[in-house]
Amino acid sequence: MATPVNEQIVLKIKQRLQLIDEDSGYETTVAGTVVRPPRIWTGNLQDYQVIVTQGALAINDELSHPGNPPATAWNLPIVIFGELRPSEDNTTAIDTLINEFAADAVKAICTPASSWHNWDSLAIDTRIDNVEPIVAEDACGFKMELTVIYRVTENDPYTVRG
C-alpha cells in the first residue's frame, strides 16, 4: 500500500523525536512512544510524553510549477507538544525542564544537521516557526510549530516532485 508524501514526512518526524534518550546524548528521555493521537484518545499523558499532530495543508503557489502534469507545493504544519509532569519532589525550575526538553526536540528534529530539513528528499524545506513554553495549572511543557514545504505531482500526492 502506498503512503502519501505528507504521511511519510510525519512518520519521519515521529521517528526522530523517538530518538530523544539520555543514553543517546540528549538531556532528557521521551516517555514511552511518541504519540499521534487517534480521533478519540483515551490514553494518559506521562512526564516527558511527546504528541505530534498535523494541521491543515495549504497550497504554496510560489513553489508550485507548471508541467505535464504540474507540480503542487504544500505547506504542512506540524505541532509537537512536549508534556511535563514533574513530581512534587522535583525542585528544578519548570522553565529549566521546559527549556531542556524543547531543546532536545529541536536537536532531534534537526538531525542529521546537513539535511534535516528535507526529510530524506521528501521535502523542499522545513522551518521551526515557534517554540512556546506552556505553564498552566493542568499542563506544562512546550509547543513547537514546524512548517514543512514539499512538492508532489498535482494529481498524485504519493509522488515527490523536485
Side-chain angles (χ1 to χ4, degrees), residues 81-96:
F81 177 65
E83 174 82 11
L84 288 169
R85 293 179 175 257
S87 73
E88 293 179 14
D89 298 336
N90 191 332
T91 59
T92 305
I94 193 65
D95 290 340
T96 301

Side-chain angles (χ1 to χ4, degrees), residues 128-141:
I128 299 172
D129 294 319
N130 294 307
V131 180
E132 175 185 345
I134 297 172
V135 180
E137 194 172 307
D138 58 344
C140 63

Side-chain angles (χ1 to χ4, degrees), residues 14-22 24 26 30 34 108 111:
K14 182 181 173 198
Q15 287 171 345
R16 287 188 192 174
L17 291 166
Q18 191 65 58
L19 298 175
I20 298 173
D21 190 298
E22 291 174 53
S24 299
Y26 292 90
V30 168
V34 174
T111 301

Side-chain angles (χ1 to χ4, degrees), residues 2-148:
T3 304
V5 173
N6 60 337
E7 179 66 12
Q8 291 178 55
I9 292 167
V10 177
L11 290 172
K12 288 186 180 290
I13 291 169
K14 182 181 173 198
Q15 287 171 345
R16 287 188 192 174
L17 291 166
Q18 191 65 58
L19 298 175
I20 298 173
D21 190 298
E22 291 174 53
D23 293 338
S24 299
Y26 292 90
E27 298 302 314
T28 61
T29 298
V30 168
T33 60
V34 174
V35 175
R36 289 184 66 202
R39 187 176 71 83
I40 299 172
W41 188 35
T42 58
N44 293 322
L45 292 175
Q46 305 171 46
D47 194 22
Y48 290 98
Q49 181 74 63
V50 176
I51 299 100
V52 177
T53 58
Q54 172 185 328
L57 289 171
I59 289 180
N60 184 319
D61 287 324
E62 288 181 21
L63 295 175
S64 296
H65 59 74
N68 189 14
T72 303
W74 294 95
N75 291 345
L76 169 63
I78 301 292
V79 176
I80 298 164
F81 177 65
E83 174 82 11
L84 288 169
R85 293 179 175 257
S87 73
E88 293 179 14
D89 298 336
N90 191 332
T91 59
T92 305
I94 193 65
D95 290 340
T96 301
L97 297 174
I98 291 169
N99 290 338
E100 288 173 350
F101 196 20
D104 279 348
V106 170
K107 182 179 174 180
I109 290 294
C110 296
T111 301
S114 63
S115 62
W116 72 271
H117 63 283
N118 72 9
W119 305 99
D120 299 326
S121 300
L122 291 171
I124 299 166
D125 197 13
T126 301
R127 68 175 188 261
I128 299 172
D129 294 319
N130 294 307
V131 180
E132 175 185 345
I134 297 172
V135 180
E137 194 172 307
D138 58 344
C140 63
F142 70 88
K143 180 175 99 173
M144 179 187 305
E145 298 172 0
L146 309 176
T147 300
V148 181

Side-chain angles (χ1 to χ4, degrees), residues 143-161:
K143 180 175 99 173
M144 179 187 305
E145 298 172 0
L146 309 176
T147 300
V148 181
I149 303 165
Y150 70 98
R151 190 168 32 226
V152 294
T153 300
E154 178 184 59
N155 60 356
D156 184 2
Y158 297 90
T159 303
V160 175
R161 287 286 294 274

